Amino acid sequence: MDLAALKTQLKNFVQSMFEEGVLDNQFSQIQALQDSTNPNFVEEVITLFCNDAERIINEINRNLGYQNVDFSNLDSYVHQLKGSSSSIGANRLKLACANLRQASDERNKEGCLQAVQLITCEYCLLRRKFQALLHRGVLLSLRPTKNE
């Protein structure tokens, strides 16, 4: 596949993530920071986000496994995950975090368990899409060049 075709394929894939609401405009801001001096910037940000998100989701699940949930501790993890999601533009994951935050504020363990299931589903979807994006090769700058 030639470079132009690959670039078009990547651009269309990312666009589909925007259309599905998986990503928001914040991800475009991250893409704009990638250039020839830091060609792997987006890949590095995605990798750091995924590692952090998995750690936080594991901590949330661990906290919800206790008979007596420490909701203030849980809220701290939810806040971290929501902030990370917002920073990378993971729109649907960020919205799912808001549901968990509300259930946590209400001290509703059952609501928290339902919300964390949604978070896990949204994160798994996002991770698969990010992996597909990275699998297509080194991420290209998706910003138009002077020749386009």
Side-chain angles (χ1 to χ4, degrees):
M1 182 177 297
D2 70 0
L3 186 60
L6 179 60
K7 190 171 183 177
T8 298
Q9 183 184 38
L10 288 172
K11 195 173 195 177
N12 290 341
F13 186 75
V14 172
Q15 182 60 38
S16 74
M17 293 173 74
F18 286 121
E19 291 167 0
E20 294 169 11
V22 174
L23 295 176
D24 63 25
N25 203 38
Q26 182 61 31
F27 189 75
S28 296
Q29 300 292 327
I30 291 169
Q31 287 178 302
L33 296 174
Q34 182 167 298
D35 59 22
S36 61
T37 62
N38 197 355
N40 299 324
F41 181 76
V42 174
E43 181 178 3
E44 291 168 5
V45 169
I46 288 171
T47 300
L48 289 171
F49 167 77
C50 288
N51 290 340
D52 197 41
E54 286 180 26
R55 179 190 57 78
I56 294 169
I57 292 169
N58 286 335
E59 287 298 323
I60 290 170
N61 280 309
R62 188 177 62 77
N63 276 275
L64 287 173
Y66 297 135
Q67 185 172 353
N68 295 315
V69 175
D70 180 350
F71 287 101
S72 61
N73 192 29
L74 179 65
D75 191 53
S76 173
Y77 287 115
V78 175
H79 182 72
Q80 289 175 42
L81 184 59
K82 186 177 179 191
S84 295
S85 300
S86 183
S87 294
I88 201 168
N91 185 54
R92 287 175 29 179
L93 184 56
K94 174 183 71 177
L95 295 174
C97 288
N99 293 338
L100 179 55
R101 185 120 194 228
Q102 181 178 345
S104 178
D105 287 347
E106 294 168 356
R107 306 296 194 241
N108 177 352
K109 183 176 180 177
E110 186 58 38
C112 287
L113 290 169
Q114 291 173 357
V116 80
Q117 285 180 335
L118 178 60
I119 284 173
T120 301
C121 289
E122 290 298 337
Y123 172 70
C124 288
L125 171 71
L126 178 65
R127 185 185 65 210
R128 279 192 311 270
K129 289 186 177 283
F130 277 159
Q131 287 172 337
L133 191 62
L134 297 176
H135 180 73
R136 287 182 164 95
V138 175
L139 282 173
L140 302 171
S141 174
L142 299 178
R143 296 178 299 158
T145 62
K146 295 176 191 173
N147 298 333
E148 291 182 344

